[in-house]
Amino acid sequence: MARAMFDYTKTILKKVSFEPSLFCRELEKALQRLLPHEVEELKIWIKSLVTKNPELDQCLIYLTP
């Protein structure tokens, strides 16, 4: 079940990646919902997404502890 939430989160983040403010909001929610090991995996995925979409770099602040 937890893996389903992780996959769902990635799907949502992909869909809202066109709008940085919306992406940041969804990222913040995802970080609260996911398990710690999933958060680490999500951080790696988001960093690769930001390299493709540099306008999302403002959301990286949510990934720092």
Side-chain angles (χ1 to χ4, degrees):
M1 178 61 119
R3 189 68 187 177
M5 181 57 78
F6 178 74
D7 292 336
Y8 174 74
T9 298
K10 282 178 45 177
T11 301
I12 294 299
L13 289 172
K14 282 181 199 174
K15 287 183 179 184
V16 298
S17 64
F18 68 93
E19 175 59 45
S21 62
L22 186 55
F23 183 86
C24 289
R25 207 170 343 156
E26 290 298 326
L27 175 58
E28 203 172 8
K29 287 195 270 184
L31 294 174
Q32 293 172 358
R33 267 188 247 134
L34 296 175
L35 298 172
H37 69 278
E38 292 173 325
V39 169
E40 293 305 315
E41 193 175 339
L42 186 67
K43 286 179 183 181
I44 295 166
W45 180 80
I46 288 186
K47 287 177 184 176
S48 70
L49 183 65
V50 168
T51 60
K52 296 174 190 167
N53 301 320
E55 66 275 5
L56 300 176
D57 68 348
Q58 66 191 24
C59 301
L60 291 176
I61 193 165
Y62 294 107
L63 301 181
T64 57

